[in-house]
Coordinates of all heavy atoms in Angstrom, one line a residue:
M553 N 0.9 -1.2 0.0 CA 0.0 0.0 0.0 C 0.9 1.2 0.0 O 1.8 1.4 0.8 CB -0.9 0.0 1.3 CG -1.6 1.2 1.5 SD -2.6 1.1 3.0 CE -2.7 2.8 3.5
T554 N 0.6 2.1 -0.9 CA 1.3 3.4 -0.9 C 0.4 4.5 -0.5 O -0.8 4.5 -0.9 CB 1.9 3.7 -2.3 OG1 0.9 3.6 -3.3 CG2 3.0 2.7 -2.7
V555 N 0.9 5.4 0.2 CA 0.2 6.6 0.7 C 0.7 7.8 0.0 O 1.9 8.1 0.0 CB 0.2 6.7 2.2 CG1 -0.5 7.9 2.7 CG2 -0.4 5.4 2.8
S556 N -0.2 8.6 -0.5 CA 0.2 9.9 -1.1 C 0.9 10.8 -0.1 O 0.5 10.7 1.1 CB -1.0 10.6 -1.7 OG -0.8 11.9 -1.8
K557 N 1.8 11.6 -0.5 CA 2.4 12.5 0.4 C 1.5 13.6 0.9 O 1.7 14.3 1.9 CB 3.7 13.1 -0.2 CG 3.4 14.1 -1.4 CD 4.7 14.8 -1.8 CE 4.4 15.6 -3.1 NZ 3.3 16.5 -3.1
D558 N 0.3 13.7 0.2 CA -0.7 14.7 0.6 C -1.7 14.1 1.5 O -2.6 14.8 1.9 CB -1.4 15.2 -0.7 CG -0.5 16.0 -1.6 OD1 0.4 16.7 -1.1 OD2 -0.7 15.9 -2.8
Y559 N -1.5 12.9 1.9 CA -2.6 12.2 2.7 C -2.7 12.8 4.1 O -1.7 13.1 4.8 CB -2.3 10.7 2.8 CG -3.5 9.9 3.2 CD1 -4.5 9.6 2.3 CD2 -3.6 9.4 4.5 CE1 -5.6 8.9 2.7 CE2 -4.7 8.7 4.9 CZ -5.7 8.4 4.0 OH -6.8 7.7 4.3
C560 N -4.0 13.1 4.4 CA -4.3 13.5 5.8 C -4.9 12.4 6.6 O -5.9 11.8 6.3 CB -5.3 14.7 5.8 SG -5.8 15.2 7.4
W561 N -4.2 12.0 7.7 CA -4.6 10.9 8.5 C -5.8 11.3 9.4 O -6.5 10.4 9.9 CB -3.5 10.4 9.4 CG -2.4 9.8 8.6 CD1 -1.2 10.5 8.1 CD2 -2.4 8.5 8.0 NE1 -0.5 9.6 7.4 CE2 -1.2 8.4 7.3 CE3 -3.2 7.4 8.1 CZ2 -0.8 7.2 6.6 CZ3 -2.9 6.3 7.4 CH2 -1.7 6.2 6.7
S562 N -6.0 12.6 9.6 CA -7.2 13.0 10.4 C -8.5 12.9 9.5 O -9.5 12.6 10.0 CB -7.0 14.4 10.9 OG -6.0 14.4 11.9
C563 N -8.4 13.4 8.3 CA -9.6 13.4 7.4 C -9.7 12.2 6.6 O -10.7 12.0 5.9 CB -9.6 14.6 6.5 SG -9.4 16.2 7.4
N564 N -8.6 11.3 6.5 CA -8.6 10.1 5.7 C -8.8 10.4 4.2 O -9.6 9.8 3.6 CB -9.7 9.1 6.2 CG -9.3 8.5 7.5 OD1 -8.1 8.0 7.7 ND2 -10.2 8.4 8.5
K565 N -8.2 11.4 3.8 CA -8.2 11.8 2.3 C -7.0 12.5 2.0 O -6.3 13.1 2.8 CB -9.5 12.5 2.0 CG -9.6 13.9 2.6 CD -10.9 14.6 2.3 CE -11.1 15.9 2.9 NZ -10.2 17.0 2.5
D566 N -6.7 12.6 0.6 CA -5.6 13.5 0.2 C -6.0 14.9 0.3 O -7.1 15.4 0.0 CB -5.4 13.2 -1.3 CG -4.6 11.9 -1.5 OD1 -4.0 11.4 -0.5 OD2 -4.5 11.4 -2.6
E567 N -5.0 15.7 0.9 CA -5.2 17.1 1.0 C -4.0 17.8 0.4 O -3.1 18.2 1.1 CB -5.4 17.5 2.5 CG -6.7 17.1 3.1 CD -6.9 17.5 4.5 OE1 -6.0 18.2 5.1 OE2 -7.9 17.1 5.1
P568 N -4.0 18.0 -0.9 CA -2.9 18.7 -1.5 C -2.8 20.2 -1.0 O -3.9 20.7 -0.8 CB -3.1 18.6 -3.0 CG -4.5 18.0 -3.2 CD -5.0 17.6 -1.8
I569 N -1.7 20.7 -1.0 CA -1.5 22.1 -0.6 C -2.1 23.0 -1.8 O -1.7 22.7 -2.9 CB -0.1 22.5 -0.3 CG1 0.4 21.7 1.0 CG2 0.1 24.0 -0.2 CD1 1.8 21.8 1.3
P570 N -3.0 23.9 -1.6 CA -3.5 24.7 -2.7 C -2.4 25.5 -3.3 O -1.4 25.8 -2.7 CB -4.6 25.6 -2.0 CG -4.4 25.4 -0.5 CD -3.5 24.2 -0.3
P571 N -2.7 25.9 -4.6 CA -1.7 26.6 -5.4 C -1.3 27.9 -4.7 O -0.2 28.4 -4.8 CB -2.4 26.9 -6.7 CG -3.5 25.9 -6.8 CD -3.9 25.6 -5.4
S572 N -2.3 28.5 -3.9 CA -2.0 29.7 -3.2 C -1.2 29.5 -2.0 O -0.8 30.5 -1.3 CB -3.4 30.4 -2.8 OG -4.2 29.4 -2.2
G573 N -0.9 28.2 -1.7 CA -0.1 27.9 -0.5 C -0.9 27.6 0.7 O -2.1 27.8 0.7
A574 N -0.3 27.1 1.8 CA -1.1 26.8 3.0 C -0.6 27.7 4.1 O 0.6 28.0 4.2 CB -0.8 25.3 3.3
Y575 N -1.5 28.0 5.0 CA -1.1 28.7 6.2 C -0.2 27.9 7.1 O 0.8 28.3 7.6 CB -2.4 29.2 6.9 CG -2.1 29.9 8.2 CD1 -1.6 31.2 8.2 CD2 -2.4 29.3 9.5 CE1 -1.3 31.8 9.4 CE2 -2.2 29.9 10.7 CZ -1.6 31.2 10.6 OH -1.4 31.8 11.8
V576 N -0.7 26.7 7.4 CA 0.2 25.7 8.1 C -0.3 24.3 7.8 O -1.4 24.1 7.5 CB 0.1 26.0 9.7 CG1 -1.3 25.7 10.2 CG2 1.1 25.1 10.4
V577 N 0.7 23.4 7.7 CA 0.4 22.0 7.5 C 0.9 21.2 8.7 O 2.0 21.4 9.1 CB 1.1 21.5 6.2 CG1 0.8 20.0 6.0 CG2 0.7 22.3 5.0
C578 N 0.0 20.4 9.2 CA 0.4 19.5 10.4 C 1.4 18.4 9.9 O 1.0 17.7 9.0 CB -0.8 18.9 11.0 SG -0.4 17.8 12.4
F579 N 2.6 18.4 10.4 CA 3.5 17.4 9.9 C 3.2 16.0 10.5 O 3.8 15.0 10.2 CB 5.0 17.8 10.1 CG 5.4 18.1 11.5 CD1 5.7 17.0 12.3 CD2 5.4 19.4 12.0 CE1 6.1 17.3 13.6 CE2 5.8 19.6 13.3 CZ 6.1 18.6 14.1
E580 N 2.3 16.0 11.5 CA 2.0 14.7 12.1 C 0.9 14.0 11.3 O 1.1 12.8 10.9 CB 1.6 14.9 13.6 CG 1.3 13.6 14.3 CD 2.6 12.7 14.6 OE1 3.7 13.3 14.4 OE2 2.4 11.5 14.8
C581 N -0.2 14.6 11.1 CA -1.4 14.0 10.5 C -1.5 14.4 9.0 O -2.2 13.8 8.2 CB -2.7 14.2 11.2 SG -3.3 15.9 11.1
G582 N -0.8 15.5 8.6 CA -0.8 16.0 7.3 C -2.0 16.9 7.0 O -2.2 17.3 5.8
H583 N -2.7 17.3 8.0 CA -3.9 18.2 7.7 C -3.4 19.6 7.2 O -2.4 20.1 7.8 CB -4.7 18.4 8.9 CG -6.0 19.1 8.6 ND1 -7.1 18.5 8.0 CD2 -6.4 20.4 8.8 CE1 -8.0 19.4 7.8 NE2 -7.7 20.6 8.3
V584 N -4.1 20.1 6.2 CA -3.7 21.4 5.6 C -4.7 22.4 6.1 O -5.9 22.3 5.9 CB -3.7 21.3 4.0 CG1 -3.5 22.7 3.4 CG2 -2.7 20.3 3.5
Y585 N -4.2 23.4 6.7 CA -4.9 24.6 7.0 C -4.6 25.7 6.0 O -3.5 26.2 6.0 CB -4.6 25.2 8.4 CG -5.0 24.2 9.5 CD1 -4.0 23.3 10.0 CD2 -6.2 24.1 10.0 CE1 -4.4 22.3 11.0 CE2 -6.6 23.2 11.0 CZ -5.6 22.3 11.5 OH -6.0 21.4 12.5
A586 N -5.5 25.9 5.0 CA -5.1 26.7 3.8 C -4.9 28.2 4.2 O -4.1 28.9 3.7 CB -6.2 26.6 2.8
T587 N -5.7 28.6 5.2 CA -5.7 30.0 5.6 C -5.7 30.0 7.1 O -6.1 29.1 7.8 CB -6.9 30.8 5.1 OG1 -8.1 30.2 5.7 CG2 -7.0 30.7 3.6
E588 N -5.3 31.2 7.7 CA -5.4 31.4 9.1 C -6.8 31.2 9.6 O -7.0 30.6 10.7 CB -4.9 32.8 9.5 CG -4.9 33.1 11.0 CD -4.5 34.5 11.3 OE1 -4.2 35.3 10.3 OE2 -4.4 34.8 12.5
Q589 N -7.8 31.6 8.8 CA -9.2 31.5 9.2 C -9.6 30.0 9.3 O -10.4 29.6 10.2 CB -10.1 32.2 8.2 CG -11.5 32.3 8.7 CD -11.6 33.2 9.9 OE1 -11.1 34.3 10.0 NE2 -12.4 32.7 10.9
D590 N -9.0 29.1 8.5 CA -9.3 27.7 8.6 C -8.9 27.2 10.0 O -9.6 26.4 10.6 CB -8.4 26.9 7.6 CG -9.1 26.8 6.2 OD1 -10.2 27.4 6.1 OD2 -8.5 26.2 5.3
L591 N -7.7 27.6 10.5 CA -7.2 27.2 11.8 C -8.1 27.8 12.9 O -8.5 27.1 13.8 CB -5.8 27.6 11.9 CG -5.1 27.3 13.3 CD1 -5.2 25.8 13.6 CD2 -3.6 27.7 13.3
I592 N -8.5 29.0 12.8 CA -9.3 29.7 13.8 C -10.7 29.0 13.8 O -11.2 28.6 14.9 CB -9.5 31.2 13.4 CG1 -8.2 31.9 13.5 CG2 -10.5 31.8 14.4 CD1 -8.2 33.3 12.9
D593 N -11.2 28.7 12.6 CA -12.5 28.0 12.6 C -12.5 26.6 13.2 O -13.4 26.2 14.0 CB -13.0 27.8 11.1 CG -13.5 29.2 10.5 OD1 -13.6 30.2 11.3 OD2 -13.6 29.2 9.3
A594 N -11.4 25.9 13.0 CA -11.2 24.5 13.5 C -11.1 24.6 15.0 O -11.7 23.8 15.8 CB -10.0 23.8 12.9
Y595 N -10.4 25.6 15.5 CA -10.2 25.8 17.0 C -11.5 26.1 17.6 O -11.9 25.6 18.6 CB -9.2 26.9 17.2 CG -9.0 27.3 18.7 CD1 -8.0 26.6 19.4 CD2 -9.8 28.3 19.3 CE1 -7.8 26.9 20.8 CE2 -9.6 28.6 20.6 CZ -8.6 27.9 21.3 OH -8.5 28.2 22.7
N596 N -12.2 27.1 17.0 CA -13.5 27.6 17.6 C -14.6 26.5 17.6 O -15.4 26.4 18.5 CB -14.0 28.8 16.9 CG -13.2 30.0 17.2 OD1 -12.5 30.1 18.3 ND2 -13.3 31.1 16.4
R597 N -14.5 25.6 16.6 CA -15.5 24.5 16.5 C -15.3 23.6 17.7 O -16.2 23.1 18.4 CB -15.3 23.7 15.2 CG -16.6 23.0 14.7 CD -16.3 22.4 13.4 NE -15.8 23.3 12.4 CZ -14.8 23.1 11.6 NH1 -14.1 22.0 11.7 NH2 -14.4 24.0 10.8
I598 N -14.0 23.3 18.0 CA -13.7 22.4 19.1 C -14.1 23.0 20.4 O -14.6 22.4 21.3 CB -12.2 21.9 19.0 CG1 -12.1 20.9 17.9 CG2 -11.8 21.3 20.4 CD1 -10.7 20.6 17.5
V599 N -13.7 24.3 20.6 CA -14.0 25.0 21.8 C -15.5 25.1 22.1 O -16.0 24.9 23.2 CB -13.4 26.5 21.8 CG1 -14.0 27.3 22.9 CG2 -11.9 26.4 21.9
T600 N -16.3 25.3 21.0 CA -17.7 25.4 21.1 C -18.3 24.0 21.6 O -19.2 24.0 22.5 CB -18.4 25.7 19.7 OG1 -17.9 27.0 19.3 CG2 -19.9 25.8 19.8
E601 N -17.7 22.9 21.1 CA -18.2 21.6 21.5 C -17.8 21.4 23.0 O -18.6 20.9 23.8 CB -17.5 20.5 20.7 CG -18.1 20.3 19.3 CD -17.3 19.4 18.5 OE1 -16.5 18.6 19.0 OE2 -17.5 19.4 17.2
M602 N -16.6 21.8 23.4 CA -16.1 21.7 24.8 C -17.0 22.5 25.7 O -17.3 22.0 26.8 CB -14.6 22.1 24.9 CG -13.7 21.1 24.3 SD -12.0 21.7 24.2 CE -11.6 22.1 25.9
N603 N -17.3 23.7 25.3 CA -18.2 24.5 26.1 C -19.6 23.9 26.3 O -20.1 24.0 27.4 CB -18.3 25.9 25.5 CG -17.0 26.8 25.7 OD1 -16.2 26.5 26.6 ND2 -16.9 27.8 24.9
A604 N -20.1 23.4 25.2 CA -21.4 22.7 25.3 C -21.4 21.5 26.2 O -22.3 21.3 27.1 CB -21.9 22.3 23.9
D605 N -20.3 20.8 26.1 CA -20.1 19.6 27.0 C -20.0 20.0 28.5 O -20.5 19.4 29.4 CB -18.9 18.8 26.5 CG -18.8 17.5 27.2 OD1 -19.7 16.7 27.2 OD2 -17.7 17.2 27.8
G606 N -19.2 21.1 28.7 CA -18.9 21.6 30.0 C -20.2 22.1 30.7 O -20.5 21.9 31.8
A607 N -21.0 22.8 29.8 CA -22.3 23.3 30.3 C -23.2 22.2 30.7 O -24.0 22.3 31.7 CB -22.9 24.2 29.3
R608 N -23.2 21.1 29.9 CA -24.1 20.0 30.2 C -23.7 19.3 31.6 O -24.5 18.9 32.4 CB -24.0 18.9 29.1 CG -25.1 19.0 28.1 CD -25.1 17.8 27.2 NE -23.8 17.4 26.6 CZ -23.4 17.9 25.4 NH1 -24.2 18.8 24.7 NH2 -22.2 17.6 24.9
R609 N -22.3 19.2 31.8 CA -21.8 18.5 33.0 C -21.9 19.4 34.2 O -22.2 18.9 35.3 CB -20.4 18.2 32.8 CG -20.2 17.0 31.9 CD -18.7 16.9 31.6 NE -18.4 16.1 30.4 CZ -17.7 15.0 30.5 NH1 -17.2 14.5 31.6 NH2 -17.5 14.3 29.3
Y610 N -21.6 20.7 34.1 CA -21.4 21.5 35.3 C -22.4 22.7 35.4 O -22.3 23.4 36.3 CB -19.9 22.1 35.3 CG -18.9 21.0 35.2 CD1 -18.1 20.9 34.0 CD2 -18.7 20.1 36.2 CE1 -17.2 19.9 33.9 CE2 -17.8 19.0 36.1 CZ -17.0 19.0 34.9 OH -16.1 18.0 34.8
G611 N -23.2 22.8 34.4 CA -24.2 23.9 34.4 C -23.6 25.2 34.6 O -22.6 25.6 34.0
D612 N -24.2 26.0 35.6 CA -23.7 27.4 35.8 C -22.3 27.5 36.3 O -21.7 28.5 36.2 CB -24.6 28.1 36.8 CG -26.0 28.3 36.2 OD1 -26.1 28.2 34.9 OD2 -27.0 28.6 36.9
A613 N -21.7 26.4 36.8 CA -20.4 26.4 37.3 C -19.3 26.4 36.2 O -18.2 26.6 36.4 CB -20.1 25.2 38.3
H614 N -19.8 26.1 35.0 CA -18.9 26.0 33.9 C -18.4 27.3 33.5 O -19.1 28.3 33.3 CB -19.6 25.3 32.7 CG -18.8 25.3 31.5 ND1 -17.6 24.6 31.4 CD2 -18.9 25.9 30.3 CE1 -17.1 24.8 30.2 NE2 -17.9 25.5 29.5
Q615 N -17.1 27.4 33.3 CA -16.4 28.7 32.8 C -16.1 28.4 31.3 O -15.2 27.7 31.0 CB -15.1 28.9 33.5 CG -15.2 29.0 35.0 CD -15.6 30.4 35.5 OE1 -15.4 31.4 34.7 NE2 -16.1 30.6 36.7
P616 N -16.9 29.1 30.4 CA -16.7 28.8 29.0 C -15.3 29.3 28.6 O -14.8 30.3 29.1 CB -17.8 29.6 28.3 CG -18.7 30.1 29.4 CD -18.0 30.0 30.7
I617 N -14.7 28.6 27.6 CA -13.5 29.0 27.0 C -13.8 30.0 25.9 O -14.7 29.8 25.1 CB -12.8 27.7 26.4 CG1 -12.6 26.6 27.5 CG2 -11.4 28.1 25.8 CD1 -12.3 25.2 26.9
A618 N -12.9 31.0 25.9 CA -13.2 32.1 24.9 C -12.9 31.6 23.5 O -11.9 30.9 23.2 CB -12.3 33.3 25.2
L619 N -13.7 32.0 22.5 CA -13.4 31.8 21.1 C -12.3 32.8 20.7 O -12.2 33.8 21.3 CB -14.7 32.0 20.3 CG -15.8 31.0 20.6 CD1 -17.0 31.3 19.6 CD2 -15.4 29.6 20.5
R620 N -11.6 32.4 19.6 CA -10.5 33.2 19.1 C -10.9 33.9 17.8 O -11.6 33.3 17.0 CB -9.3 32.4 18.9 CG -8.6 31.9 20.2 CD -7.3 31.2 19.8 NE -6.7 30.6 21.0 CZ -5.8 31.2 21.8 NH1 -5.5 32.5 21.5 NH2 -5.3 30.6 22.8
T621 N -10.3 35.1 17.6 CA -10.5 35.7 16.3 C -9.2 35.8 15.6 O -9.1 36.3 14.5 CB -11.0 37.2 16.6 OG1 -10.2 37.9 17.5 CG2 -12.4 37.1 17.2
S622 N -8.1 35.3 16.2 CA -6.8 35.3 15.6 C -6.1 34.0 15.9 O -6.4 33.3 16.9 CB -6.0 36.5 16.1 OG -4.6 36.1 16.2
A623 N -5.3 33.5 15.0 CA -4.6 32.2 15.2 C -3.4 32.4 16.1 O -2.8 31.4 16.5 CB -4.1 31.6 13.9
D624 N -3.1 33.6 16.6 CA -2.0 33.8 17.5 C -2.3 33.0 18.8 O -3.4 33.1 19.4 CB -1.9 35.3 17.9 CG -1.3 36.1 16.8 OD1 -0.8 35.5 15.9 OD2 -1.3 37.3 17.0
G625 N -1.4 32.1 19.1 CA -1.5 31.3 20.3 C -2.1 30.0 20.1 O -2.3 29.2 21.0
I626 N -2.5 29.7 18.9 CA -3.0 28.3 18.5 C -1.8 27.5 18.0 O -1.3 27.7 16.9 CB -4.1 28.3 17.5 CG1 -5.2 29.2 17.9 CG2 -4.6 26.9 17.3 CD1 -6.4 29.3 16.9
Y627 N -1.2 26.7 18.9 CA 0.1 26.1 18.6 C 0.0 24.6 18.2 O 1.0 23.9 18.2 CB 1.0 26.2 19.8 CG 1.4 27.7 20.0 CD1 1.2 28.2 21.3 CD2 1.9 28.5 19.0 CE1 1.5 29.6 21.6 CE2 2.2 29.8 19.3 CZ 2.0 30.4 20.6 OH 2.3 31.7 20.8
F628 N -1.2 24.1 18.1 CA -1.3 22.7 17.8 C -2.4 22.4 16.8 O -3.3 23.2 16.6 CB -1.6 21.9 19.1 CG -2.8 22.3 19.9 CD1 -4.0 21.7 19.7 CD2 -2.8 23.4 20.8 CE1 -5.2 22.1 20.3 CE2 -4.0 23.8 21.4 CZ -5.1 23.1 21.2
C629 N -2.3 21.2 16.2 CA -3.3 20.8 15.2 C -4.6 20.5 15.9 O -4.6 19.8 16.9 CB -2.7 19.5 14.5 SG -3.9 18.9 13.3
Q630 N -5.7 21.0 15.3 CA -7.0 20.8 15.9 C -7.5 19.4 15.7 O -8.5 19.1 16.3 CB -7.9 21.9 15.4 CG -7.5 23.3 15.6 CD -7.2 23.6 17.1 OE1 -8.0 23.4 18.0 NE2 -5.9 24.0 17.4
H631 N -6.9 18.7 14.8 CA -7.4 17.3 14.5 C -6.7 16.3 15.3 O -7.3 15.4 15.9 CB -7.3 17.0 13.0 CG -8.2 17.9 12.2 ND1 -9.5 17.6 12.1 CD2 -8.0 19.0 11.5 CE1 -10.1 18.5 11.3 NE2 -9.2 19.4 11.0
C632 N -5.3 16.4 15.4 CA -4.6 15.3 16.1 C -3.9 15.8 17.3 O -3.2 15.1 18.0 CB -3.5 14.7 15.1 SG -2.1 15.8 14.8
I633 N -4.1 17.1 17.7 CA -3.6 17.7 18.9 C -2.0 17.7 18.9 O -1.4 18.0 20.0 CB -4.1 17.0 20.2 CG1 -5.6 16.6 20.0 CG2 -4.0 17.9 21.4 CD1 -6.6 17.8 19.9
H634 N -1.4 17.5 17.8 CA 0.0 17.5 17.7 C 0.5 19.0 17.6 O -0.1 19.7 16.9 CB 0.5 16.7 16.5 CG 2.0 16.3 16.6 ND1 3.0 17.1 16.3 CD2 2.5 15.2 17.1 CE1 4.1 16.5 16.5 NE2 3.9 15.3 17.0
D635 N 1.6 19.3 18.3 CA 2.2 20.6 18.2 C 2.7 20.9 16.8 O 3.2 20.0 16.2 CB 3.4 20.8 19.2 CG 3.0 20.8 20.6 OD1 1.7 20.9 20.9 OD2 3.8 20.8 21.5
F636 N 2.5 22.1 16.4 CA 3.1 22.5 15.1 C 4.6 22.6 15.2 O 5.1 23.0 16.2 CB 2.5 23.9 14.6 CG 1.1 23.8 14.1 CD1 0.2 24.8 14.5 CD2 0.6 22.7 13.4 CE1 -1.1 24.7 14.1 CE2 -0.7 22.7 13.0 CZ -1.6 23.7 13.3
Ligands
LIG1371 ZN1 -2.6 17.1 12.8
LIG1372 ZN1 -7.3 16.9 7.2

């Protein structure tokens, strides 16, 4: 079995880097974040799920995690949690 160098292990598909270039590529799972917004959206999606889960478990005691509007400070892949 041969695996394409573009293969993303998180999405289970080939993710070639777009002609315009990628904002960041995870070297662990191969996921391509084409733009900074892609990374922000992926982060916020996970935080939104975590906040919903926290609210279900802890109700009013839950301290929601803030959503981000910039990728500054997002240092890991949102799919495999590997550091960039
Ligand atoms: Zn990854
Ligand atoms: Zn992917």
